Amino acid sequence: MVYIWNDPSDVPADFGPSVVTFGNFDGVHRGHQQVLSQLIRSARLSHAKAVAVTFDPHPAVIHRPEAAPELIMGLDDKLEALGELGLDAVLVVKYSLDLASLTAEEFVEQYLVDCLHASHVVIGHDARFGRGNSGDLDTMKALGEKFGFDVQVISEFGAEGYPLHDDDGTDRRCSSTWVREALQAGDVTTAASVLGRPHRMRGEVVHGAARGRALGFPTANLASNATGLIPADGIYAGWLVDQAGKRWPAAISVGSNPTFDGVSRQVEAHVIDRPKEAVEDFDLYGQTVIVEFVERLRGMVAYRGPEALVEQMRLDVAQAHQLLGGR
């Protein structure tokens, strides 16, 4: 079981020693996984606890909200992904201007030393921390000597040897930026390669315009406050995971329904192999579900009326069913 702490006061006084790393971990992509797997290995070898410190909200939301990046995943999904890696605990630190005002030494002393009793700190070679990002690797090594912890430097997955390539075939370092670029282009397969799993959104199923139901393709509509970055408009093959944890193959629509002059973007999932009973018996309204994007089938197109749209939807569902059948 992984412990989730939302405040330093939640950490037991006798907790530790621990092997610690810190970061935003948006997406918990393969680069993050490389760092965290090394952290867990070091913790096991030294009979210590493996701990990740992450921040909520993203620091950019506090410092430059107008330019803050869209988050790849919500906090719940991030904590779930971190927990699945085998960590012993995750400390979620509320990011604020007060936290940002701490010097590099104050941050390390308060959170890593006094709170988590770090015996080792695992960081990337380009890590920055403390007021004005004044702390770096050399700073951490000096603080390790002062406070009595070892510093382990780790390179992230990607350009250092793992064969992940961008569109022109060049090796590229795994990063949250790369995932965002791929999703914004609708390239969910590349996003999955960098993430190490399909991209997902999580949200409550709400009532929509019911056009899908009228056309014979009822959909589960995610609420507008659903978490997870919305990929580019289009039709995708993927999965819907209901509140009970059952996975259903789905054809997923992202867009504003241009055939019907829609305005707001919506994420709707049509469950392909839903129960044979009446549609009304398969009720997802009010449930919090997960929608996973596996492959983009096509872009969003405005059709000349419902008949042409229904024909295309039949083709989309058949293609999604065939693609997902072997997965």
Side-chain angles (χ1 to χ4, degrees):
M1 183 183 78
V2 58
Y3 293 100
I4 305 296
W5 298 314
N6 294 300
D7 189 87
S9 63
D10 295 336
V11 182
D14 61 351
F15 182 81
S18 63
V19 180
V20 185
T21 192
F22 56 90
N24 293 308
F25 303 116
D26 187 25
V28 194
H29 55 65
R30 280 177 143 156
H32 298 140
Q33 293 165 34
Q34 175 80 344
V35 171
L36 294 167
S37 66
Q38 291 290 337
L39 177 142
I40 293 167
R41 187 155 40 246
S42 295
R44 300 297 175 259
L45 289 172
S46 59
H47 304 288
K49 303 295 186 182
V51 184
V53 177
T54 192
F55 306 100
D56 185 60
H58 191 289
V61 173
I62 301 299
H63 294 293
R64 50 183 193 283
E66 73 289 345
E70 291 185 83
L71 293 182
I72 297 166
M73 55 173 36
L75 180 59
D76 288 344
D77 282 304
K78 178 166 71 170
L79 294 176
E80 182 176 311
L82 289 171
E84 289 174 350
L85 297 177
L87 291 164
D88 294 301
V90 179
L91 173 60
V92 182
V93 176
K94 182 179 180 181
Y95 195 88
S96 64
L97 291 177
D98 287 340
L99 180 71
S101 70
L102 297 179
T103 65
E105 180 170 338
E106 288 170 338
F107 169 74
V108 169
E109 183 175 15
Q110 290 182 30
Y111 288 91
L112 308 189
V113 177
D114 293 345
C115 177
L116 296 171
H117 307 118
S119 60
H120 295 72
V121 174
V122 178
I123 62 172
H125 61 85
D126 58 352
R128 307 294 300 212
F129 58 98
R131 184 190 305 154
N133 282 332
S134 58
D136 58 12
L137 177 57
D138 290 337
T139 308
M140 188 64 79
K141 289 180 177 178
L143 292 173
E145 292 180 2
K146 178 175 181 176
F147 293 112
F149 59 80
D150 293 328
V151 177
Q152 182 177 353
V153 184
I154 196 73
S155 294
E156 290 190 355
F157 236 29
E160 292 79 12
Y162 189 82
L164 285 180
H165 312 288
D166 60 16
D167 291 340
D168 64 5
T170 304
D171 283 351
R172 183 171 180 180
R173 174 177 176 267
C174 287
S175 68
S176 301
T177 298
W178 191 2
V179 176
R180 291 188 191 99
E181 290 174 359
L183 293 175
Q184 288 162 355
D187 187 357
V188 294
T189 53
T190 292
S193 294
V194 183
L195 289 169
R197 63 186 178 281
H199 174 61
R200 60 167 48 180
M201 294 184 65
R202 183 191 298 261
E204 182 182 351
V205 176
V206 297
H207 290 274
R211 292 195 185 99
R213 184 181 298 273
L215 297 173
F217 296 90
T219 59
N221 302 273
L222 294 189
S224 59
N225 63 351
T227 58
L229 196 156
I230 303 175
D233 288 2
I235 306 300
Y236 298 82
W239 300 90
L240 182 146
V241 185
D242 66 24
Q243 202 158 277
K246 183 171 176 57
R247 295 169 61 83
W248 302 90
I252 306 161
S253 170
V254 177
S256 57
N257 295 317
T259 301
F260 298 98
D261 297 322
V263 177
S264 60
R265 297 182 76 210
Q266 295 179 319
V267 178
E268 312 172 58
H270 168 69
V271 171
I272 296 172
D273 292 332
R274 63 187 187 277
K276 300 297 184 183
E277 309 90 69
V279 170
E280 290 75 11
D281 293 336
F282 186 59
D283 186 0
L284 297 173
Y285 291 123
Q287 289 193 30
T288 296
V289 303
I290 293 168
V291 173
E292 295 182 349
F293 299 85
V294 173
E295 187 170 316
R296 193 182 195 214
L297 304 180
R298 63 176 175 86
M300 188 61 70
V301 178
Y303 291 91
R304 296 182 177 179
E307 295 80 9
L309 175 59
V310 167
E311 181 57 31
Q312 182 60 58
M313 291 169 75
R314 289 196 184 100
L315 295 174
D316 295 335
V317 168
Q319 186 179 358
H321 191 276
Q322 182 179 18
L323 189 151
L324 297 169
R327 304 198 182 194

